Amino acid sequence: MFKYIKNDLPASIVVFFVALPLCLGIALASGAPLFSGLIAGIVGGIVVGSLSGSKIGVSGPAAGLAAIVLTAIGTLGGYENFLVAVVLGGIIQLIFGVLKAGIIGYYFPSSVIKGMLTGIGIIIILKQIPHFFGYDADPEGDFAFFQVDGETTFSEIINAINHITPGSALIGIIGLAILLLWDKVLSKKGKFFKLVQGPLVAVIVGIIFFVITQSNEFLRIEQSHLVSVPVPEGIDSFIGQFSFPNFAVIANPEVWIVAFTIALVASLETLLCVEATDKLDPHKNVTPTNRELLAQGTGNIISGLIGGLPITQVIVRSSANIQSGGRTKASAIIHGFFLLISIILIPRLLNMIPLSVLAAVLFIVGFKLAKPALFKQMYDLGWKQFIPFTVTVVGIVFTDLLVGIGLGLAVGIVVILIKSYQNSHFLHIEDKSNGKHKIKMTLAEEVTFFNKGAILKELDSLPMDTYLELDVRKTRYLDNDIIEILDDFAFKAKERNIDIQLVSERGVVENPESFIEFFSLRPKTSKN
């Protein structure tokens, strides 16, 4: 696992700086203790990272679950009661893994997955604009269009323009310049600049800027615009930050409803992220999805037992890991240890990091996910790829991740139905003979009820006095709905003076009396 430590260690530092504000921000957006987000990040890195089969995926608290957590804490009567649902949700995820439900992850269309990555990239950029300029009314990690502070994504940007904090904006610009210089120029100059990542330099410069501008009324950065890690006053104070589930409420049906909701949503987000990260991975590793569900379930059980938020694999941290050159699961695990060690040893130092610098880091992550060239690439692939892609992007930006994915998936299914409608059969007119049109219709290998409309349309459009050759030699599966259509047509064909020749692997039948009877006697194939 440590074979690529020269790649994984620098990547883990970048992931650490991306994860830190998101763990805190998601906890704040969820109405949970700030420390609960850090617990989830640590467990997601160390525990899930160790058990997962993904080489580049990173797990932690997910923005997509924030609204569910916020509502559930109130519904269940407190955070300790909610933790019971987190533990039970983890157990349900283990059951999903044992039942091999991870196979669902392989059925998301590529256009929707690419739309998801692009939509998240755009959301990251839009959501970080206010933080970049020092307007931090909405917590980090709130990725929904309708925000927890009552604003929307775009109204928040407008408010930010009217409330720019000079010091935050300046160090944000300096940090972004450092990142661009590192990425475009210095990283190509030698091994040192690959080992020491630009985000680490930007964060160090940000801390120095905060310290030296404290006496400057114009440029000083207030605590509300900095990272806000809880600072314990000793070992007892640190241990006191952990919460534990109140299992006395385990018989409450609402706890089980929340648990199943967490398990379902967390599993879907994880499977989507697995599919997306595997597409981003330049080394094209394939993550075992059932093992991933087992790892996530274990992580959620442990996180819930010690007071952490629910965990999923998350695309922002995973993509930051990939972009920074992470090669193995060591980068995810090390980032978890960085979170743990830093909140114990250097919480006050972490609280000197301007959020605007971390926003600059996320700008780069977001832009690499949502490159403009991808829109042209998807457009060039045709409308059947471009429309689900675009709907997913727009849905994510104007609603949230799961709704956007759902809309894209729905459109993708419609596209599949249209393609199925078009590909049910091949039809061409061969010649005219004996005063009749001779038409040959060859059915596809698999013909289902999706194809009813197309076949009905073609059969009804046949003119009178036609000779129809129906070739089913290549057809391995013929839905009963289609057989009934053919049987009905055989009756109507007599009235329209249409002769039918049925060509099958069993030979040729002229004007079959009953298609239902014919196909009921047909030998079963391996696909039936």
Side-chain angles (χ1 to χ4, degrees):
M1 184 172 69
F2 294 101
K3 177 182 177 181
Y4 295 101
I5 192 65
K6 68 180 188 300
N7 304 95
D8 292 328
L9 182 60
S12 68
I13 295 172
V14 177
V15 176
F16 164 70
F17 285 127
V18 168
L20 180 64
L22 292 180
C23 288
L24 294 166
I26 291 168
L28 188 61
S30 302
L34 288 181
F35 195 66
S36 66
L38 295 170
I39 293 171
I42 292 165
V43 174
I46 299 173
V47 177
V48 179
S50 300
L51 298 176
S52 171
S54 175
K55 292 187 176 181
I56 35 73
V58 182
S59 297
L65 286 168
I68 294 171
V69 174
L70 181 65
T71 304
I73 291 173
T75 303
L76 300 180
Y79 189 66
E80 287 75 14
N81 296 347
F82 167 74
L83 290 176
V84 178
V86 178
V87 175
L88 294 175
I91 294 171
I92 294 170
Q93 279 188 294
L94 290 180
I95 295 171
F96 288 166
V98 170
L99 295 177
K100 301 190 183 303
I103 194 172
I104 295 170
Y106 297 123
Y107 290 94
F108 294 111
S110 175
S111 57
V112 173
I113 296 299
K114 290 177 181 177
M116 168 187 154
L117 291 169
T118 305
I120 290 174
I122 293 171
I123 277 290
I124 291 171
I125 294 169
L126 294 176
K127 292 292 187 181
Q128 293 307 312
I129 290 173
H131 298 294
F132 185 80
F133 290 109
Y135 183 70
D136 300 299
D138 192 52
E140 291 272 10
D142 182 8
F143 285 173
F145 182 73
F146 296 101
Q147 301 178 165
V148 295
D149 67 343
E151 299 291 339
T152 67
T153 301
F154 295 108
S155 67
E156 189 82 3
I157 293 172
I158 294 170
N159 288 340
I161 294 171
N162 296 324
H163 296 85
I164 294 175
T165 303
S168 293
L170 178 58
I171 191 56
I173 293 168
I174 292 171
L176 185 59
I178 291 171
L179 292 168
L180 291 173
L181 179 66
W182 221 269
D183 186 49
K184 301 298 181 182
V185 180
L186 296 180
S187 63
K188 301 176 178 62
K189 296 294 183 181
K191 291 183 178 179
F192 172 80
F193 296 107
K194 289 183 179 179
L195 184 63
V196 178
Q197 292 278 330
L200 175 61
V201 178
V203 166
I204 292 172
V205 171
I207 293 173
I208 294 171
F209 180 89
F210 166 74
V211 172
I212 65 176
T213 58
Q214 279 300 283
S215 58
N216 187 308
E217 286 297 322
F218 184 69
L219 292 178
R220 72 175 292 177
I221 302 175
E222 300 295 335
Q223 184 61 48
S224 59
H225 305 304
L226 303 170
V227 170
S228 183
V229 175
V231 181
E233 298 298 333
I235 187 67
D236 291 337
S237 175
F238 177 76
I239 294 173
Q241 296 180 95
F242 291 88
S243 303
F244 303 98
N246 174 26
F247 284 107
V249 300
I250 196 167
N252 184 346
E254 290 186 341
V255 170
W256 285 90
I257 292 171
V258 172
F260 187 80
T261 303
I262 289 172
L264 187 62
V265 174
S267 298
L268 283 173
E269 284 209 21
T270 292
L271 293 175
L272 284 163
C273 185
V274 163
E275 189 73 9
T277 51
D278 283 355
K279 282 191 180 300
L280 287 174
D281 184 8
H283 304 284
K284 302 305 176 188
N285 294 297
V286 177
T287 301
T289 52
N290 294 316
R291 178 176 169 181
E292 189 64 32
L293 289 179
L294 294 171
Q296 296 292 333
T298 305
N300 274 316
I301 292 170
I302 294 173
S303 183
L305 286 173
I306 60 176
L309 290 173
I311 294 167
T312 74
Q313 191 176 126
V314 277
I315 192 62
V316 179
R317 274 154 272 188
S318 298
S319 57
N321 187 28
I322 295 167
Q323 293 169 14
S324 303
R327 290 292 302 272
T328 73
K329 61 169 65 180
S331 58
I333 297 170
I334 294 170
H335 116 274
F337 279 110
F338 279 152
L339 282 172
L340 176 61
I341 294 167
S342 63
I343 63 174
I344 294 173
L345 299 181
I346 55 169
R348 288 184 173 83
L349 182 63
L350 295 179
N351 289 343
M352 295 180 184
I353 302 174
L355 290 174
S356 59
V357 173
L358 299 179
V361 174
L362 285 166
F363 273 158
I364 302 297
V365 174
F367 180 77
K368 288 183 177 180
L369 284 174
K371 289 183 178 179
L374 183 59
F375 284 88
K376 183 179 184 305
Q377 177 188 340
M378 295 304 295
Y379 180 80
D380 291 342
L381 289 174
W383 70 270
K384 292 173 184 176
Q385 292 290 313
F386 186 68
I387 291 180
F389 167 81
T390 305
V391 168
T392 305
V393 171
V394 173
I396 288 173
V397 171
F398 287 97
T399 57
D400 60 31
L401 176 64
L402 288 180
V403 173
I405 290 290
L407 291 172
L409 196 56
V411 173
I413 290 171
V414 171
V415 169
I416 290 170
L417 293 178
I418 293 172
K419 290 171 71 175
S420 180
Y421 175 93
Q422 293 172 338
N423 295 331
S424 60
H425 62 284
F426 303 98
L427 179 67
H428 61 275
I429 298 174
E430 287 193 339
D431 57 27
K432 291 183 179 182
S433 57
N434 300 324
K436 286 190 173 185
H437 293 285
K438 183 176 182 181
I439 296 176
K440 180 178 181 180
M441 182 184 291
T442 305
L443 294 188
E445 185 174 347
E446 295 190 13
V447 188
T448 70
F449 70 92
F450 291 142
N451 310 124
K452 285 171 63 175
I455 293 175
L456 267 174
K457 179 182 175 182
E458 296 294 356
L459 292 175
D460 287 344
S461 66
L462 292 177
M464 293 181 65
D465 303 319
T466 298
Y467 185 86
L468 173 65
E469 179 184 321
L470 186 63
D471 191 342
V472 296
R473 284 175 294 183
K474 295 180 180 178
T475 306
R476 294 291 173 264
Y477 176 78
L478 197 59
D479 200 314
N480 189 65
D481 287 43
I482 307 301
I483 296 173
E484 289 183 1
I485 287 173
L486 296 174
D487 200 65
D488 292 341
F489 176 73
F491 176 79
K492 296 176 185 177
K494 295 174 183 177
E495 298 178 352
R496 294 163 58 186
N497 196 26
I498 297 175
D499 292 324
I500 303 172
Q501 182 186 71
L502 179 62
V503 182
S504 73
E505 72 276 11
R506 289 156 53 193
V508 177
V509 179
E510 297 287 347
N511 292 315
E513 290 293 327
S514 172
F515 280 87
I516 292 176
E517 183 178 329
F518 177 85
F519 285 108
S520 67
L521 298 173
R522 190 179 183 190
K524 298 291 183 184
T525 67
S526 59
K527 289 193 177 183
N528 276 12

